[in-house]
Amino acid sequence: MTSRSHLTIGVAIATAGALALTACGSGSSADGGSAGGSGSITVYNAQHESLTQEWVDAFTKQTGIKVTVRNGSDTELSNQLMQEGAASPADVFLTENSPAMTQVENAGLFADVDNATLDQVPAEFRPSTGKWTGIAARSTVLVYDKRKVQPNQLPASMLDLAKPEWKGRWAASPSGADFQAIVSALLELKGEAVTKDWLTAMKTNAKVYKGNSTAMKAVNSGEVETALIYHYYYYGDQAKTGENSANVGTHYFKNEDPGAFVSVSGGGVLKSSKNAAAAQSLLKFITGKTGQEVLQKGTSFEYAVGSDVPSNAALVPLKDLQAPKVDPAKLNSATVTDLMTQAGLL
Ligand SMILES: [Fe+2]
């Protein structure tokens, strides 16, 4: 999950059509415009609102294509797309993590991403299927209280957090898509039995918070020693006042550990889009040089993945993270939710 407050849109399905007409009515044509880089499109956005707004503003400035953004969480929006099916007003879906993309892909709702876009993104940052593409990336990190924990006392593997000695000494936000993506990687890398055992131990060992920012704040205030979160919560706070991370250190597991998982944020074009050319051009823009420079120079602190644009210089370089190799197309959100529910974490 993000630190932003979510706009709840689960109840907005009934009004979605009316909203779409209003949005499109302000564009060049009532059906969202014709192909060829004109008209307007609707984006279902689960990425951080500020990041997507930066992308959209730059895209509209360059192309003249108007973009309506509807915000929600990964699963809120993937579930909404499944319910709406071919009648969805969405042209593009952007997520924080890839399991929600796979859910929509498996429902057959995505068009193929244009090859020109796929060519901008290395194969490791997109699914083998070509039905969507990575647009940014984020790394798992264990943040810790520098006053209480010395670097040599940190666990070598994320799996060590299941050991009795870590009882009550780590925090997480299991209800969020960020944490569930980490579990999906564990499931893909180590299988169901290991994942089940780890989650069962987590129920005993971990302190549960709602949101990664809250978990990091708890580390900073001395409430809990460590938290398993994504990296950008730390860097974002450091770039502002540092008030929620002044006492916090970052521990990257590396060594292709499940805890070194790098999660891909996804972008895809809905098969039902009535302005597919404009929708495809947004994905091409986001993964292109200008779009990726938004990641490099902006305040999201997420990793750039496309067009050879370097990531923000404040970050540990992606190549140094020694992330495990995972095909994002194989990350399964349904099994993760089941296992976490069985473990009493959801
Ligand atoms: Fe997040």
Side-chain angles (χ1 to χ4, degrees), residues 4-51:
R4 63 186 160 74
S5 59
H6 287 145
L7 187 63
T8 303
I9 60 151
V11 294
I13 296 164
T15 57
L19 288 169
L21 284 175
T22 306
C24 293
S26 63
S28 60
S29 69
D31 68 355
S34 58
S38 63
S40 63
I41 53 174
T42 294
V43 173
Y44 278 15
N45 175 53
Q47 245 295 355
H48 295 198
E49 292 177 27
S50 54
L51 171 57

Side-chain angles (χ1 to χ4, degrees), residues 1-3 48 96-97 138 178 212 230 232-233 302:
M1 300 299 287
T2 69
S3 56
H48 295 198
E96 270 213 270
N97 293 285
R138 50 269 299 292
D178 288 350
N212 286 337
Y230 278 159
Y232 50 83
Y233 292 95
E302 295 195 38

Side-chain angles (χ1 to χ4, degrees), residues 170 172-174 176-184 198-199 202 228 340:
W170 65 286
S173 174
D178 288 350
F179 186 81
Q180 290 173 21
I182 298 171
V183 179
S184 75
W198 191 80
L199 290 170
M202 176 182 171
L228 192 65
M340 290 182 70

Side-chain angles (χ1 to χ4, degrees), residues 17 28 38 58 70 130-131 133 136-137 173 191 223 246-247 255-256 277 279 283:
S28 60
S38 63
R70 299 209 189 137
K131 287 289 183 184
T133 180
S173 174
E223 213 171 284
N247 304 314
N255 199 29
E256 300 193 9
L283 275 195

